[in-house]
């Protein structure tokens, strides 16, 4: 009897996001850093999976994204690629270009973007910056790699911004942000993340710029939203910025599950019969008779 399978899900491409913007369909994007999470979020219906350089904070224990290397991004992106390929595989895969991988010049940026695609399996790269990076965006796109821009609170510039603070709050800065968004779109970016800016400004930019605008801390009127998966799952009790909504309490669920495991191990309740194997007619147990004729356990301290 042949196995009944449904119609294969098609992988989303940059053209789908343009169509979704035009049709007013919202785009749901989330980060993932390993194969298991990639498979889970893909199966739950996200449109875009981002291997964010937030991996530095969420998985690697750093207090910023700055120490993350290109090799680490490739390593995590390749794991996410395998997770998507073994699951539904519908989501579009974007990988962040880490700090130092594109700021020194377009030639190096093109080479590094290509490594994220060739070795990491990304379908697009994301980089932070506005008009100053328009040439870098143009060159990467010309090399055949789609680029997603990122403006507003750009974490790789945390020291220049003076901290993780809301951007574009006054007239001058709002105008600068709009000009940067235009420059990035004009350079060929296919989508743009706006992070931590006033909702009114994000709404205005979303109406003015032809490419999909994905918000994080930028209000509801963007073409889509992105969140760090650890934040939406409630994995870190100590981190709850205003723009994050916890859609689950997975951190608490993990605590309870592991706590139950520890207590069952300590009380010899785990493993039970259901989790144990048995042989037939085994004659493997051998007691070593001590000189004194007492039995001792092999390997036991004397
Ligand atoms: O690195 C990241 O996770 C990001 C998102 C917050 C947009 O850039």
């Amino acid at each position: 009897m042949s196995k009944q399978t449904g119609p294969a899900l098609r992988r989303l491409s940059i053209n789908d996001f343009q169509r979704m913007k035009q049709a007013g369909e919202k785009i749901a994007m989330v980060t993932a850093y390993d194969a298991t999470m990639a498979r889970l979020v893909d199966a739950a219906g996200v449109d875009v999976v981002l291997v964010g350089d937030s991996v530095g904070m969420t998985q690697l224990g750093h207090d910023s994204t700055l120490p993350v290397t290109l090799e680490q991004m490739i390593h995590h992106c390749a794991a996410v690629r395998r997770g998507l390929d073994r699951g539904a595989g519908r989501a579009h895969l974007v990988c962040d270009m880490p700090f130092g991988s594109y700021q020194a010049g377009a030639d190096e940026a093109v080479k590094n973007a290509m490594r994220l695609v060739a070795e990491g399996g990304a379908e697009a790269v994301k980089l932070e910056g506005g008009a100053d990076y328009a040439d870098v965006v143009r060159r990467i796109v010309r090399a055949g790699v789609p680029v997603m821009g990122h403006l507003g609170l750009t974490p790789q510039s945390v020291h220049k911004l003076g901290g993780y603070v809301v951007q574009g709050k006054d007239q001058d800065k709002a105008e600068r942000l709009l000009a940067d968004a235009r420059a990035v779109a004009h350079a060929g970016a296919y989508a743009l993340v706006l992070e931590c800016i006033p909702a009114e400004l994000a709404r205005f930019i979303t109406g003015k710029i032809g490419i999909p605008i994905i918000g994080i801390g930028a209000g509801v009127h963007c073409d889509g939203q992105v969140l760090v998966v650890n934040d939406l799952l409630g994995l870190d009790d100590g981190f709850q910025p205003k723009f994050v909504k916890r859609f689950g309490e997975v951190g608490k669920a993990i605590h309870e599950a592991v706590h139950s495991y520890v207590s069952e191990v300590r009380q010899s309740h785990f493993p039970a019969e259901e989790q144990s194997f048995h042989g037939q007619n085994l004659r493997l147990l051998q007691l070593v008779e001590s000189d004194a004729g007492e039995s001792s356990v092999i390997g036991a301290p004397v």
Side-chain angles (χ1 to χ4, degrees):
M1 199 172 74
S2 69
K3 198 174 143 203
Q4 190 93 33
T5 52
L9 280 175
R10 190 175 60 83
R11 196 184 286 178
L12 295 175
S13 79
I14 63 169
N15 300 333
D16 292 299
F17 306 120
Q18 190 58 46
R19 182 195 55 71
M20 287 170 83
K21 176 172 177 112
Q22 275 148 17
E25 284 170 37
K26 297 278 185 172
I27 299 162
M29 169 163 151
V30 75
T31 66
Y33 315 100
D34 62 40
T36 301
M37 192 61 80
R39 191 175 45 73
L40 289 170
V41 300
D42 188 31
V46 300
D47 304 307
V48 185
V49 172
L50 169 69
V51 184
D53 59 357
S54 49
V55 68
M57 298 159 96
T58 58
Q59 315 296 308
L60 305 178
H62 296 299
D63 61 4
S64 79
T65 60
L66 301 179
V68 177
T69 66
L70 186 72
E71 302 304 325
Q72 287 168 337
M73 292 307 296
I74 291 171
H75 173 83
H76 285 274
C77 192
V80 168
R81 173 78 278 154
R82 290 189 288 273
L84 293 177
D85 290 349
R86 280 171 204 158
R90 172 183 170 276
H92 170 73
L93 177 56
V94 185
C95 188
D96 261 340
M97 298 199 69
F99 183 60
S101 70
Y102 60 95
Q103 289 89 345
D107 285 346
E108 202 177 311
V110 170
K111 272 194 217 140
N112 289 336
M114 288 175 133
R115 285 194 65 196
L116 291 171
V117 173
E119 298 171 46
E123 287 151 335
V125 298
K126 176 165 83 57
L127 60 86
E128 300 178 7
D132 291 346
Y133 287 92
D135 188 47
V136 170
V137 171
R138 196 172 292 114
R139 287 279 310 280
I140 297 175
V141 173
R142 204 186 296 152
V145 178
V147 175
M148 180 179 280
H150 186 160
L151 293 172
L153 199 182
T154 44
Q156 291 178 16
S157 305
V158 59
H159 298 311
K160 185 172 147 196
L161 300 177
Y164 296 100
V165 283
V166 178
Q167 300 295 303
K169 280 172 90 173
D170 61 42
Q171 191 62 26
D172 277 2
K173 292 194 175 124
E175 279 171 20
R176 181 76 242 158
L177 253 169
L178 176 62
D180 279 337
R182 282 206 165 105
V184 168
H186 206 246
Y190 74 101
L192 176 62
V193 169
L194 292 180
E195 179 164 352
C196 289
I197 67 167
E200 309 80 346
L201 177 59
R203 179 181 201 166
F204 185 77
I205 294 176
T206 302
K208 285 281 175 212
I209 304 290
I211 58 174
I213 305 294
I214 315 289
I216 172 165
V220 76
H221 296 291
C222 300
D223 299 306
Q225 299 291 327
V226 56
L227 278 179
V228 168
V229 73
N230 294 45
D231 297 344
L232 87 82
L233 292 179
L235 282 178
D236 183 354
D237 259 351
F239 186 68
Q240 174 85 57
K242 178 175 165 65
F243 61 86
V244 167
K245 177 171 172 184
R246 294 160 86 115
F247 289 84
E249 291 298 340
V250 178
K252 284 198 182 80
I254 291 175
H255 180 88
E256 276 161 29
V258 177
H259 191 262
S260 301
Y261 164 73
V262 169
S263 122
E264 289 202 18
V265 167
R266 294 209 170 120
Q267 295 171 70
S268 299
H269 289 170
F270 174 83
E273 264 311 292
E274 309 91 274
Q275 293 98 26
S276 300
F277 301 106
H278 297 287
Q280 283 171 350
N281 304 321
L282 290 181
R283 276 181 283 125
L284 299 175
L285 286 181
Q286 293 186 350
L287 293 176
V288 177
E289 294 299 320
S290 69
D291 287 347
E294 287 170 23
S295 59
S296 68
V297 178
I298 298 169
V302 282

